[in-house]
Amino acid sequence: MELKRVVVTGLGALTPIGNNVPDYWNALLAGVSGANFIKSFDTTKFKTKFACEVKNFNAEDIFGKKEARKMDPFVHYAMVAADEAVRDADLDFPNLDTNRIGVIWGAGIGGLKTFLDEVSNFAKGDGTPRYNPYFIPKMILDIAPGHISIKYGLRGPNFSTVSACASGTNALIDSFNYIRLGTADVIISGGSEAIINEAGMGGFNAMHALSTRNDDPATASRPFDKDRDGFVAGEGSGAVILESLEHAKARGAKIYAEMVGGGMSADANHITAPHPEGLGARLVMTNALTDAGLTTSDIDYINVHGTSTPLGDISETKAIVSLFGDNAYKLNISSTKSMTGHLLGAAGAIEAIASILAVKNDIVPPTINHFTDDPEFDPQLNFTFNKAQKRLVRTAQSNTFGFGGHNASVIFKKYEE
Amino acid sequence: MSDIASRVKAIIVEKLGVDENEVTPEASFTNDLGADSLDTVELIMEFEKEFNVAIPDDQAENIGTVGQAIAYLEKNVK
C-alpha cells in the first residue's frame, strides 16, 4: 500500500508572545520574551511568581458569557487557534467530505483550573457533593477536539493524545499517520495548555522544575546558558492543518511545507529526569529521520525541546552530537522556549509552527537570553544565540520530551512537486 | 413579582445568557431558552444554592419551565 504525502495547509497560534501566527512569528524573529509577573492569581506565597501568560485575551468577548464559562481556558485557547488555522487553510467545510476530516489534539494536563475550582469548592463545603454538571466535560482533555468537531461539524477521527510535554507532537504524528494511511483527508491537529494557576505553579514548583529568577522574569528562560535554573511555565495553543497532498491540490490550497517524518520513543529510565546520555532523545530523532527517509546531513534546523533545565539541555545536546556527528556543526539549533516559555502539551504544536515557518522563510528563530557559555556544551554547535539567523532551511526537525520519558520528534521539509 | 420570582429570573438570565423579557412563566428551559440537559441540572443546583433548599431528583424532573420553578420554590422555601 502506497502512503500518501502529507502537507501543511493552515496554521493558528495563541501564544504568550503573539495571539495569532503573524504576531507569533514576528515576535520569535525579534527575540521577544513572553515572561512577566503572573496576573491571574496572587503569587505572594509561591516560589515562582512569573510565567509566560497569554495576554489581551478575554474568553467572554470571543465566546459570549454563557459559552465561555462552559469551557476551561485550555479549550478557549484551542478554539481560537483552530479557528485561525481553519480560516488560514481556507477550508470550506460545507463543500468538503466532513466524514473524512478529523481533529487530533494534544494537551498535557487538560482542565486543571476547572479541577482546582470544583474540588476547592467541595473541600470548603460540608461534604455534600455539589459539583457543577460541567465539571467533568470542562476538565477532560479530549473535550478540546470534541468542541472543535462540534463547531465545524467534522465527523472524522477525533481524540486527544497525552504524553505530557510531547502531547502536541504526538497529535501531529497521529494525524500524519491517519492521513498517510488514507483514513482521513484533513486533520486539525495541535495542542493547547492552561496550567498557570495555583495548582499548576504549585505543583511544578514542588518538583523544583521551574525557574525561580523572580528578580528578572524576562531572562529566566535561558536554555543552554550556564546559569539556567529551570523552565518557565507558558500557556496557549497551536493548530496545524495537515492534509493529503492530493486533497490539498484538488482544492487549490496553499502549502506551507511537507510533513515527512515522525518518530517516537521512550527513555524507560525515570519518571521526570531525562536519560543522562540522552538515549531516548537520540532514538526518537533517529526514528523520525528513518521514517522520513532522510539522513542527518539533510537536517538544517533542530527546534530542540531545550526547556532551560540544568539536566535536560545537556542530555538533548549529547543526543544531537552523538547522532549527527560532524553534521551537528552544520545545522542550526534553537530553543524557542527562551521566548515563549514551556507550553507543555501545546509546546509541540507551537514549535512545529516555528519549524514550518523556518522552512518556508529560510530563517531560524533564536535562543534568546544567552549571557554565559556553559562548558558542558560543545562550542562548535550553533545554538542561534540571541539573534535570528538567515540560512537555507531545507528541513527542520522539532523535538519534544515529556514527563514519563515520552519522546516525539517530527520533520518538515520544503514542499516540492 | 415576588422576591422569589425575581431571583429565579435573575439566575436564569445569568446562567442561560438569555434576555430578561424571554423569561416568561410559560418559557421552557429546553424548548424556549436554549438549555441542554446539563444546563437544566445546573439551574436546579443554582436554585438550591440561592434558596438554601434541597430539590430531590424526582421533584427536579417536574421543573421544566420558569413558572414551575417559581411555584416549586414558593411552596418549599421557608
Side-chain angles (χ1 to χ4, degrees):
Chain A
M1 173 181 174
E2 196 179 331
L3 295 174
K4 293 181 190 296
R5 291 174 71 186
V6 179
V7 291
V8 177
T9 57
L11 301 174
L14 174 63
T15 76
I17 59 172
N19 290 10
N20 54 56
V21 170
D23 287 356
Y24 168 53
W25 179 240
N26 289 333
L28 283 177
L29 296 184
V32 173
S33 166
N36 212 330
F37 293 103
I38 291 170
K39 293 193 173 70
S40 58
F41 69 93
D42 178 6
T43 59
T44 307
K45 294 184 176 173
F46 284 71
K47 271 198 301 195
T48 296
K49 302 177 190 304
F50 60 92
C52 289
E53 291 181 290
V54 166
K55 295 153 189 79
N56 305 315
F57 182 84
N58 185 334
E60 289 189 1
D61 291 346
I62 297 166
F63 303 102
K65 197 172 175 185
K66 182 189 170 203
E67 293 306 314
R69 68 181 184 80
K70 294 181 183 177
M71 294 183 255
D72 187 87
F74 92 102
V75 176
H76 296 149
Y77 299 165
M79 298 290 278
V80 168
D83 187 59
E84 184 187 6
V86 164
R87 284 184 283 112
D88 184 41
D90 202 15
L91 284 164
D92 179 22
F93 293 126
N95 290 311
L96 297 171
D97 182 357
T98 47
N99 291 345
R100 292 184 51 81
I101 301 179
V103 187
I104 302 178
W105 198 262
I109 296 179
L112 187 61
K113 172 71 172 150
T114 298
F115 186 84
L116 172 66
D117 290 348
E118 289 289 332
V119 175
S120 299
N121 188 46
F122 174 70
K124 284 178 201 150
D126 64 1
T128 310
R130 294 186 183 283
Y131 288 97
N132 188 287
Y134 287 101
F135 170 27
I136 302 296
K138 268 174 82 174
M139 175 194 72
I140 52 178
L141 65 77
D142 52 288
I143 208 72
H147 273 290
I148 294 168
S149 73
I150 293 163
K151 176 171 179 183
Y152 301 107
L154 308 177
R155 296 193 165 82
N158 191 288
F159 59 91
S160 276
T161 53
V162 190
S163 49
C165 308
S167 302
T169 309
N170 276 109
L172 294 171
I173 294 172
D174 279 13
S175 304
F176 176 54
N177 285 332
Y178 283 120
I179 297 169
R180 277 202 290 191
L181 291 167
T183 311
D185 296 326
V186 181
I187 296 183
I188 301 176
S189 190
S192 60
E193 202 78 82
I195 59 88
I196 301 174
N197 53 53
E198 295 89 330
M201 294 301 290
F204 283 113
N205 258 162
M207 296 172 65
H208 297 271
L210 298 175
S211 167
T212 55
R213 196 178 298 278
N214 292 311
D215 60 346
D216 193 5
T219 72
S221 185
R222 49 176 84 184
F224 309 106
D225 185 274
K226 188 169 183 295
D227 300 316
R228 66 191 181 282
D229 74 329
F231 78 79
V232 175
E235 63 175 357
S237 178
V240 177
I241 307 289
L242 293 174
E243 185 166 359
S244 74
L245 176 60
E246 60 192 39
H247 193 271
K249 274 182 160 176
R251 67 181 189 90
K254 72 166 179 273
I255 295 172
Y256 282 93
E258 182 170 1
M259 183 165 176
V260 291
M264 296 173 278
S265 77
D267 273 10
N269 178 60
H270 184 268
I271 54 167
T272 57
H275 187 284
E277 299 304 317
L279 288 189
R282 181 186 160 130
L283 182 59
V284 80
M285 287 188 280
T286 305
N287 292 345
L289 284 165
T290 304
D291 187 43
L294 297 175
T295 66
T296 56
S297 63
D298 294 317
I299 301 296
D300 291 325
Y301 169 43
I302 305 177
N303 184 302
V304 288
H305 190 56
T307 56
S308 184
T309 58
L311 296 177
D313 291 1
I314 292 173
S315 63
E316 186 174 13
T317 305
K318 282 182 179 171
I320 291 170
V321 170
S322 83
L323 173 61
F324 283 75
D326 284 347
N327 289 323
Y329 306 128
K330 296 173 190 159
L331 51 81
N332 275 66
I333 295 167
S334 80
S335 170
T336 45
K337 289 187 181 79
S338 57
M339 297 173 272
T340 61
H342 188 359
L343 271 65
L344 309 182
I350 67 161
E351 289 162 21
I353 292 170
S355 304
I356 291 160
L357 292 174
V359 166
K360 182 165 185 288
N361 297 302
D362 288 321
I363 184 163
V364 175
T367 305
I368 67 162
N369 294 329
H370 185 70
F371 303 98
T372 311
D373 289 340
D374 184 337
E376 288 281 355
F377 303 116
D378 187 333
Q380 292 182 81
L381 292 170
N382 181 358
F383 288 101
T384 325
F385 283 134
N386 296 333
K387 280 194 76 152
Q389 291 178 14
K390 285 185 183 168
R391 64 163 294 160
L392 177 67
V393 186
R394 297 164 300 161
T395 56
Q397 181 158 20
S398 174
N399 292 340
T400 50
F401 314 137
F403 287 157
H406 324 289
N407 309 305
S409 178
V410 287
I411 300 175
F412 299 95
K413 186 168 175 280
K414 273 196 201 301
Y415 169 67
E416 291 164 354
E417 287 285 335
Chain B
M1 191 163 52
S2 71
D3 169 56
I4 285 179
S6 63
R7 285 157 70 192
V8 164
K9 285 186 178 182
I11 287 170
I12 293 167
V13 166
E14 159 81 15
K15 290 292 168 189
L16 299 184
V18 289
D19 203 74
E20 201 180 328
N21 57 31
E22 292 176 75
V23 188
T24 58
E26 304 76 34
S28 154
F29 300 140
T30 51
N31 296 332
D32 301 318
L33 301 177
D36 64 16
S37 58
L38 294 176
D39 291 321
T40 311
V41 176
E42 192 181 28
L43 277 181
I44 297 294
M45 291 181 57
E46 288 300 315
F47 297 149
E48 290 183 322
K49 200 162 89 184
E50 173 75 15
F51 297 103
N52 195 28
V53 291
I55 305 176
D57 286 351
D58 59 340
Q59 301 289 313
E61 283 168 17
N62 298 324
I63 302 175
T65 66
V66 177
Q68 286 165 351
I70 293 169
Y72 179 88
L73 291 164
E74 285 183 335
K75 193 172 152 197
N76 291 282
V77 173
K78 292 173 188 87

